[in-house]
Amino acid sequence: MEFRMHETTGGMVELETLLALVPDNGWEWSVLEFDGIMQGVAALDYAELRQKVASSSRGYVMSWSQVREFASGVRQCFDLLLVAAEEHRLLDPERFAAGDFAGCPVVLTASDSTWWTVEIDADNERASALAAGLRARYRVEAG
């Protein structure tokens, strides 16, 4: 699913808003790429976050509660690649480097402050709930 970050009403679809559509889960979340504007993210500033993302081939790994806290401090995503995995061992750096996110329940991508792309594993019940929420809220269809 792909849709504009800027709504026709002048508002902005923020990461926190998207994650609010995701049911509670026990997935491992990883920020593989981030460029944006942050404010008050768990005592983590922009440079520290970028360093954490770059210092691990698995990206900056967080729990569900941590990723929601991170999202609450993101004011704007210029570029973002955020993936969820059922368990830590499935955060496979080699596959991710090749752009292979098969088996990830959710992959969120922000591109150039313009587009959100949300890839959802249709076989995962929680991820499917996200798809339904996106269709209802933003009138987007899988494509």
Side-chain angles (χ1 to χ4, degrees), residues 20-100:
L21 299 173
V22 178
D24 285 339
N25 61 79
W27 300 331
E28 295 283 327
W29 291 82
S30 180
V31 177
L32 298 170
E33 178 183 327
F34 177 77
D35 188 18
I37 299 171
M38 297 174 31
Q39 176 180 327
V41 181
L44 194 66
D45 69 22
Y46 177 79
E48 290 170 318
L49 176 68
R50 298 275 304 207
Q51 190 276 327
K52 285 183 176 285
V53 169
S55 69
S56 171
S57 58
R58 289 186 182 344
Y60 179 37
V61 178
M62 295 178 269
S63 67
W64 175 235
S65 62
Q66 290 169 319
V67 81
R68 285 184 307 178
E69 184 177 354
F70 161 73
S72 72
V74 174
R75 295 293 156 246
Q76 186 174 0
C77 285
F78 302 137
D79 293 292
L80 172 75
L81 178 54
L82 174 66
V83 300
E86 294 281 350
E87 53 188 85
H88 190 78
R89 70 175 181 80
L90 298 175
L91 293 171
D92 185 339
E94 291 178 15
R95 283 189 324 114
F96 291 170
D100 177 4

Side-chain angles (χ1 to χ4, degrees), residues 5-28:
M5 218 180 257
H6 301 271
E7 298 178 292
T8 56
T9 59
M12 183 101 131
V13 180
E14 297 178 358
L15 177 61
E16 183 177 27
T17 307
L18 289 180
L19 290 181
L21 299 173
V22 178
D24 285 339
N25 61 79
W27 300 331
E28 295 283 327

Side-chain angles (χ1 to χ4, degrees), residues 1 3 17-25 27 29 64 86 105-106 108 118-140:
M1 297 183 176
F3 53 99
T17 307
L18 289 180
L19 290 181
L21 299 173
V22 178
D24 285 339
N25 61 79
W27 300 331
W29 291 82
W64 175 235
E86 294 281 350
V106 176
L108 293 171
V118 182
E119 298 173 47
I120 299 167
D121 180 354
D123 295 330
N124 187 297
E125 187 177 325
R126 284 191 172 98
S128 293
L130 170 60
L134 289 169
R135 282 192 292 275
R137 186 166 188 164
Y138 300 109
R139 296 179 185 93
V140 296

